[in-house]
Amino acid sequence: DAGVTQSPTHLIKTRGQQVTLRCSPKSGHDTVSWYQQALGQGPQFIFQYYEEEERQRGNFPDRFSGHQFPNYSSELNVNALLLGDSALYLCASSLANGYEQYFGPGTRLTVT
Amino acid sequence: GENVEQHPSTLSVQEGDSAVIKCTYSDSASNYFPWYKQELGKRPQLIIDIRSNVGEKKDQRIAVTLNKTAKHFSLHITETQPEDSAVYFCAAPRGGTSYGKLTFGQGTILTVHP
């Protein structure tokens, strides 16, 4: 049973650049949520995708955008990177009407 | 939206002792309360969860209790072992009953000394 996978593992970008992170959900899951986890903090909800649509969004600016593909995989895009965007980006998969969420290993983004 | 407060921020116990971590939530409509364990450099791992129609749930050495009236829930770990050392996060659904969109507490660093 394939778990949640994310790529890349680590990424270093410069301020002002753009980045794309990728996530494949757990087998059988159709919903992907993205979270940002700053060092020493709990994950913060960015947005959730279901049926290729953004279903709900947290308190993140429009620089953060996403996409979901027909195979349920998802991308997180961040434009005009700021130093404060440095964090661990986690995706979590679930069923559309299910409560349990399972996290991927995360992508560590460093903005210099 | 939901607000989740978690205490304590750090907890140090001797191997074999019990550990208790408490969380309070603000939205009385919340109906699902998971606990995650995150080891250093690893993903958050769902270890136990509880629905609002249940007051307590156990799984071997871990248990979760829920008090809906007081709007708090707790994680109990008995007979702690060094491998229980990690950061533990509680969570509750954003907007009460929203599926899969969680608000997390700030985390508790649990250290179990051999």
Side-chain angles (χ1 to χ4, degrees):
Chain A
D1 180 22
V4 183
T5 60
Q6 290 186 245
S7 64
T9 306
H10 296 89
L11 207 48
I12 299 175
K13 290 286 189 179
T14 304
R15 259 185 318 177
Q17 287 188 316
Q18 177 264 344
V19 68
T20 298
L21 312 181
R22 295 176 177 84
C23 171
S24 290
K26 179 180 167 70
S27 179
H29 283 181
D30 56 8
T31 301
V32 173
S33 302
W34 285 93
Y35 292 82
Q36 180 194 67
Q37 186 177 27
L39 204 59
Q41 303 290 320
Q44 293 215 342
F45 176 76
I46 302 174
F47 43 52
Q48 183 183 80
Y49 276 84
Y50 170 65
E51 291 189 337
E52 303 178 49
E53 297 281 338
E54 184 183 290
R55 189 154 77 159
Q56 188 165 327
R57 190 180 184 91
N59 297 324
F60 280 80
D62 292 345
R63 298 187 297 110
F64 290 77
S65 63
H67 189 77
Q68 186 178 35
F69 299 94
N71 67 353
Y72 308 122
S73 67
S74 178
E75 288 182 348
L76 164 66
N77 301 292
V78 187
N79 294 323
L81 285 167
L82 304 174
L83 295 179
D85 295 332
S86 295
L88 179 68
Y89 288 84
L90 295 160
C91 82
S93 78
S94 58
L95 292 171
N97 293 322
Y99 290 103
E100 293 85 359
Q101 285 192 80
Y102 298 91
F103 282 89
T107 295
R108 173 72 61 187
L109 173 64
T110 302
V111 182
T112 62
Chain B
E2 180 67 278
N3 185 43
V4 178
E5 298 286 336
Q6 182 173 346
H7 299 281
S9 56
T10 61
L11 181 58
S12 183
V13 301
Q14 289 296 127
E15 183 176 1
D17 288 349
S18 294
V20 180
I21 303 170
K22 297 181 179 180
C23 287
T24 60
Y25 60 97
S26 59
D27 192 334
S28 57
S30 290
N31 59 355
Y32 172 69
F33 306 93
W35 285 91
Y36 286 84
K37 174 184 180 182
Q38 188 173 28
E39 297 176 58
L40 193 62
K42 301 283 184 68
R43 73 186 77 193
Q45 179 188 1
L46 178 64
I47 57 172
I48 196 168
D49 56 16
I50 192 167
R51 308 281 172 92
S52 59
N53 58 347
V54 175
E56 182 176 4
K57 183 178 178 180
K58 287 184 179 180
D59 183 3
Q60 299 182 1
R61 294 187 298 108
I62 60 173
V64 55
T65 58
L66 171 64
N67 184 326
K68 286 193 66 181
T69 302
K71 291 192 284 187
H72 66 72
F73 57 110
S74 299
L75 177 70
H76 305 254
I77 306 174
T78 59
E79 300 173 26
T80 53
Q81 300 168 2
E83 51 264 40
D84 294 330
S85 297
V87 182
Y88 290 81
F89 292 99
C90 63
R94 293 171 60 88
T97 60
S98 302
Y99 294 110
K101 299 175 280 290
L102 299 173
T103 296
F104 283 80
Q106 290 301 300
T108 296
I109 301 172
L110 174 64
T111 304
V112 181
H113 298 281

